[in-house]
Amino acid sequence: SSSLFLAPWSICFSEPLFRCRFLFPSFFLLVLCLWRTQSFCSSNRLLQIPSISQPHETERTKRKSFYYHHHHNHLLPLTTTMTTSLKQVLTLNQYLLQSGLGHSIEQQRDLAIIVGQIQLACKMIASAVNRAALESLLGEAGIENCQGEAVKKLDVLANQAFIDALTKSGIVSAIASEEESKPIFIETLPGTTQNYVVYFDPLDGSSNIDANVSIGSIFGIAKQVTPQDQTPNDADILQPGRNLLASGYALYGAATMLVLTFGRGVNGFTLDSSLGEFVLTHPNINTKPLGKIYSINEGNGHFWEGATKHYVDGVKNNSYSLRYVGSMVADVHRTLLYGGIFMYPGDSRTPTGKLRYLYEVSPLSFVLEQAGGASSDGRTRALDILPTSIHMRVPCFMGSRLNVEALNNSFTQMDENRLPHHPPSS
């Protein structure tokens, strides 16, 4: 009986098999590695770029993609991490063609052409901004503009990009730019009807260019007021903001965004560099009715009017947060998304402030109002101000509706002598 018990073990420890005793652990590890490789390959297929014919990702697929990115330390090129099917992408060009912009068919076509040219200029500027340090485009150009401000190299490039793009549109009759001392009236091309005016600040916040801080472009579009068969003149340029048909801004920051309104809400588009297209990423933007962020250069506080100081002291006492970039587009964009108020007031040194009405205050005020916000100079609705010159400056307060109303109330109190016109000297 004992021999029967030992027989199987004697076979296992016989000489040929005993010599292979080290192969068993290796064989086990090989099987384990093959199983893990198969599991990894299955998951990796989930991270590939979906084609148009592929179904949308499920929540389980998205969770797995996140897991393998963050827990398996598997680094993939950014171009292989598209998280949405191409069926879900709406480009700016598609939006312009598909959306009813609240205008006639002819006017919708014209606005689509103009905005198409503007987005082309913004793409060129975005590329130049991204490569400025590599292409020696930082620093000043060695000239001053008509307002005595030092012109940056990128200012010159951005201004020319806008002028070239709009001139070639075939339907723009006049241009007003921050960098040009006078309006540019475009010669009528044979067989075209040119009856639109475009205002733009080609590169807002250019003093921040060398510091790699977010900067932007601002634009507004209006209809020529003189008859089409007549040459445009200054009356076509000097229009109040309420006459705008469309306006918006481009923001060159961590991503390049184009925020637009055609008088029927506000939408934001982000430049997808892999497609070379602006894609709708922020539909139907609405700003908060009341925000807890204020944006102003407090370094000028000693020179403010009494109403401005009274309002700022009030928001400080209510634990508001101060956020100030120094690029108007960046500050207004944050205000649009997060709520609050952006302020560039007049003061004892510059009673009219420093922001230009036609190509800064007016277009951005139109955007804010269409998003449910408000904008004023402290006393008058910004879109009702009638400009008297191309570079006219106005005080500016824009943002959430209740914040701007509270600011306006401070000016009402000051005008009624319930507040001092100037703060006491410190």
Side-chain angles (χ1 to χ4, degrees):
S1 61
S2 62
S3 61
L4 291 174
F5 174 77
L6 294 174
W9 294 100
S10 63
I11 294 174
C12 291
F13 286 96
S14 61
E15 184 65 21
L17 289 176
F18 187 73
R19 291 177 179 176
C20 299
R21 65 191 185 279
F22 298 108
L23 296 179
F24 289 104
S26 300
F27 178 74
F28 174 76
L29 291 174
L30 178 61
V31 172
L32 179 62
C33 289
L34 288 174
W35 177 76
R36 292 293 290 166
T37 301
Q38 177 64 26
S39 174
F40 175 75
C41 290
S42 298
S43 68
N44 193 32
R45 284 195 293 271
L46 300 174
L47 300 175
Q48 295 176 352
I49 297 177
S51 66
I52 294 178
S53 61
Q54 286 179 324
H56 301 312
E57 284 187 315
T58 63
E59 286 301 317
R60 182 181 178 187
T61 299
K62 292 178 181 178
R63 287 197 299 270
K64 283 190 175 182
S65 294
F66 181 86
Y67 178 81
Y68 280 100
H69 270 293
H70 295 268
H71 296 280
H72 284 248
N73 295 320
H74 181 60
L75 301 178
L76 292 174
L78 292 177
T79 54
T80 65
T81 58
M82 183 181 289
T83 57
T84 182
S85 168
L86 291 177
K87 292 181 180 179
Q88 296 174 307
V89 169
L90 180 65
T91 68
L92 176 56
N93 290 329
Q94 292 170 331
Y95 172 84
L96 294 173
L97 294 174
Q98 296 176 8
S99 298
L101 304 181
H103 308 286
S104 66
I105 297 298
E106 180 183 9
Q107 200 165 83
Q108 179 174 333
R109 178 205 64 196
D110 293 344
L111 291 175
I113 292 172
I114 296 172
V115 173
Q117 293 299 101
I118 289 174
Q119 73 160 321
L120 175 61
C122 292
K123 288 177 184 178
M124 296 173 63
I125 296 168
S127 177
V129 169
N130 289 337
R131 295 190 56 81
L134 304 175
E135 302 288 348
S136 300
L137 291 175
L138 297 179
E140 298 180 358
I143 57 176
E144 291 185 350
N145 63 16
C146 59
Q147 300 161 78
E149 300 167 337
V151 176
K152 302 282 187 176
K153 295 177 182 178
L154 279 175
D155 284 325
V156 177
L157 185 150
N159 187 54
Q160 197 60 49
F162 265 92
I163 292 175
D164 290 344
L166 293 171
T167 301
K168 294 175 183 177
S169 70
I171 55 176
V172 175
S173 60
I175 294 172
S177 168
E178 179 194 22
E179 302 300 332
E180 302 292 332
S181 59
K182 298 179 180 179
I184 298 175
F185 297 107
I186 301 172
E187 183 179 356
T188 303
L189 301 174
T192 63
T193 302
Q194 299 171 223
N195 57 352
Y196 291 90
V197 180
V198 180
Y199 314 93
F200 61 88
D201 181 351
L203 205 58
D204 174 73
S206 56
S207 61
N208 285 322
I209 290 175
D210 295 357
N212 201 24
V213 174
S214 295
I215 52 181
S217 303
I218 308 170
F219 60 90
I221 305 170
K223 194 77 178 286
Q224 178 179 316
V225 295
T226 56
Q228 295 182 12
D229 58 349
Q230 296 183 17
T231 303
N233 53 48
D234 287 349
D236 296 299
I237 299 293
L238 303 178
Q239 299 188 51
R242 63 173 178 267
N243 289 1
L244 289 174
L245 300 173
S247 74
Y249 60 86
L251 177 67
Y252 314 112
T256 297
M257 282 196 68
L258 193 60
V259 178
L260 288 168
T261 182
F262 293 91
R264 298 183 64 184
V266 180
N267 291 283
F269 300 80
T270 301
L271 182 61
D272 185 336
S273 57
S274 66
L275 300 176
E277 295 281 355
F278 281 101
V279 175
L280 180 64
T281 53
H282 294 67
N284 302 317
I285 299 174
N286 287 291
T287 193
K288 296 178 181 179
L290 179 68
K292 299 284 286 186
I293 299 174
Y294 72 103
S295 181
I296 191 170
N297 183 358
E298 289 209 68
N300 296 328
H302 181 69
F303 305 99
W304 290 341
E305 293 180 280
T308 305
K309 181 171 176 53
H310 176 263
Y311 177 79
V312 172
D313 288 344
V315 298
K316 285 182 179 179
N317 292 334
N318 283 286
S319 302
Y320 277 46
S321 297
L322 170 65
R323 299 287 185 270
Y324 186 70
V325 176
S327 294
M328 186 182 185
V329 169
D331 284 313
V332 170
H333 183 67
R334 182 196 57 252
T335 303
L336 176 69
L337 297 183
Y338 298 164
I341 185 168
F342 167 79
M343 299 175 279
Y344 207 113
D347 56 37
S348 59
R349 298 173 303 174
T350 53
T352 59
K354 289 189 175 181
L355 297 180
R356 276 60 60 112
Y357 179 76
L358 282 175
Y359 41 80
E360 290 177 325
V361 175
S362 174
L364 293 181
S365 297
F366 191 37
V367 171
L368 260 298
E369 284 203 6
Q370 287 299 311
S375 178
S376 80
D377 65 355
R379 299 176 176 87
T380 305
R381 176 183 176 231
L383 295 182
D384 290 336
I385 296 173
L386 182 63
T388 56
S389 66
I390 181 176
H391 299 297
M392 186 183 84
R393 302 173 189 257
V394 294
C396 177
F397 306 93
M398 62 176 64
S400 298
R401 178 177 55 83
L402 295 178
N403 294 91
V404 176
E405 288 178 0
L407 183 283
N408 292 342
N409 185 55
S410 291
F411 274 87
T412 299
Q413 293 182 52
M414 185 181 72
D415 293 342
E416 295 174 352
N417 294 318
R418 287 185 285 157
L419 287 176
H421 284 251
H422 295 284
S425 300
S426 58

